[in-house]
Amino acid sequence: MDEDQVRSERIAIVGAGSWGTALGLLLCGNGHEVRLWGHDPTHIADLLAARENRAFLPGFPLPASMLPTADLAAALHDATAVLVVVPSQFFALVLRQMAPVLAPGLGVAWATKGFDPDSGRLLHEVAGDILGSRDVGILSGPSFAGEVARGLPTAVTVAASAPGFAERLAELVRGPRFRAYTHDDIIGVQVGGAAKNVIAIATGIADGLGFGANTRAALITRGLAEVIRLGEALGARRETFMGLAGLGDLVLTCTDNQSRNRRLGLALAAGRPAQDAMAEIGQEVEGVVTARAVHAMAARLGVEMPISTEVHAVLYAGTTPAEATQHLLERAGRSELDE
């Protein structure tokens, strides 16, 4: 793609949080025009006045090629690409608002990581119901918003319903320090990006309880086994979880305090109520909603997910972190290769 073609793209980013803003900065840096939509007019007014997302991604000036707006129709008008970056619990609602004003045939991609909280379905299934027959794509992988905004080297996976659409999305986001690999396993990429948040809460709890590096490594490894079991039951390929959207994102989210899910686990271990901890974090903690969806899916599919089960119990059944730990330690011995 030559320079003139790059500059011809007009991209709508639906969601003006930290990740949507960081992706907007990346795309503007690649020569694109970005319209950044947010649902809160007060927040958008502040973005326009300060030319900075002081609420969610402070310290990064918005370029002239990024236009924040609270008008969804205006954001989508004449867009050549659409990237949805809203929390999973609002995904269906936002797509319903988008549907009447989306141009016919325009594909839709998202960087949302989670399941539909009402039905527990994967987001591409929700998108199919609401938007009909369109190309869809998912951007996922180990990528903290602040590091992308700073231009630190990052690699992600872009999966899509059609190979050409995956490559188009990857070409839009690729830059000197941002690598995008394409993939065709849209189920596996979505499951990996969502379920890892639950394991990150567990890892935060363990670290908060002072259990050390051995425990952290065990939780990441056995957590990955759980995510693979769930993914395969939903139709994903095992090898997908060895890549960026699986192991890569899991390691990132479990081991660095930029992860909101990990920070929630640390707070729970310290005895903080989940609601208080989330209010202090100040942004959506996807693992809280995802824990409920994973628990229901595992029960429906007959998939054994002991770590995720205990996280759900801590969040929703009054189990203490210490009790959850004991439940895991008391499980009967088994072969590591048991499915």
Side-chain angles (χ1 to χ4, degrees):
M1 184 177 290
D2 63 34
E3 188 70 12
D4 289 337
Q5 287 176 306
V6 168
R7 293 189 181 280
S8 71
E9 296 285 350
R10 178 174 293 166
I11 302 170
I13 294 184
V14 180
S18 59
W19 190 212
T21 304
L23 288 170
L25 293 171
L26 171 71
L27 289 163
C28 287
N30 288 350
H32 305 301
E33 176 188 330
V34 170
R35 294 172 182 169
L36 181 67
W37 176 83
H39 74 282
D40 182 356
T42 301
H43 179 219
I44 295 301
D46 187 67
L47 291 179
L48 289 166
R51 298 306 301 176
E52 178 183 337
N53 194 337
R54 296 187 292 193
F56 300 118
L57 194 67
F60 299 97
L62 305 184
S65 55
M66 185 185 299
L67 175 63
T69 178
D71 185 335
L72 184 57
L76 295 171
H77 179 68
D78 287 341
T80 57
V82 179
L83 184 59
V84 179
V85 195
V86 299
S88 59
Q89 55 264 51
F90 304 119
F91 184 80
L93 172 64
V94 169
L95 259 57
R96 290 189 188 100
Q97 294 172 344
M98 291 169 52
V101 292
L102 270 178
L106 182 64
V108 175
W110 56 89
T112 299
K113 297 176 180 179
F115 302 104
D116 179 66
D118 295 326
S119 65
R121 293 187 302 164
L122 295 167
L123 298 185
H124 78 283
E125 298 173 306
V126 176
D129 285 351
I130 297 172
L131 302 179
S133 180
R134 294 176 185 265
D135 286 337
V136 295
I138 305 98
L139 186 151
S140 192
S143 47
F144 287 134
E147 295 193 5
V148 171
R150 288 159 59 195
L152 299 182
T154 301
V156 300
T157 295
V158 176
S161 55
F165 192 54
E167 183 53 40
R168 168 166 160 70
L169 295 173
E171 188 64 28
L172 288 174
V173 297
R174 283 188 185 123
R177 293 195 166 196
F178 196 92
R179 292 188 60 81
Y181 296 85
T182 57
H183 212 301
D184 62 354
D185 184 3
I186 60 174
I187 295 175
V189 168
Q190 289 178 99
V191 172
K196 56 93 183 180
N197 286 327
V198 183
I199 307 303
I201 294 174
T203 308
I205 289 173
D207 282 348
L209 293 173
F211 288 159
N214 292 353
T215 307
R216 187 186 313 121
L219 282 171
I220 292 171
T221 306
R222 297 309 302 163
L224 178 61
E226 291 190 12
V227 175
I228 291 172
R229 286 197 293 269
L230 179 64
E232 288 188 316
L234 290 166
R237 299 200 303 270
R238 173 177 287 262
E239 60 267 26
T240 301
F241 300 99
M242 298 300 111
L244 291 164
L247 180 60
D249 210 1
L250 179 66
V251 170
L252 180 85
T253 312
C254 288
T255 59
D256 194 286
N257 286 344
Q258 292 177 79
S259 163
R260 297 191 292 269
N261 295 284
R262 174 178 163 78
R263 295 206 310 270
L264 175 64
L266 291 168
L268 293 171
R272 300 281 306 283
Q275 291 300 322
D276 292 352
M278 288 189 289
E280 185 176 302
I281 290 169
Q283 298 186 54
E284 295 293 335
V285 183
E286 284 280 10
V288 174
V289 174
T290 303
R292 185 188 296 140
V294 166
H295 185 70
M297 293 165 68
R300 173 170 57 85
L301 296 168
V303 176
E304 188 177 16
M305 302 185 72
I307 298 170
S308 301
T309 295
E310 294 303 329
V311 171
H312 179 271
V314 170
L315 290 171
Y316 296 108
T319 301
T320 68
E323 289 169 341
T325 300
Q326 195 60 37
H327 294 162
L328 290 173
L329 291 173
E330 289 174 349
R331 296 183 71 240
R334 58 186 296 175
S335 168
E336 186 177 11
L337 300 181
D338 284 347
E339 294 297 329

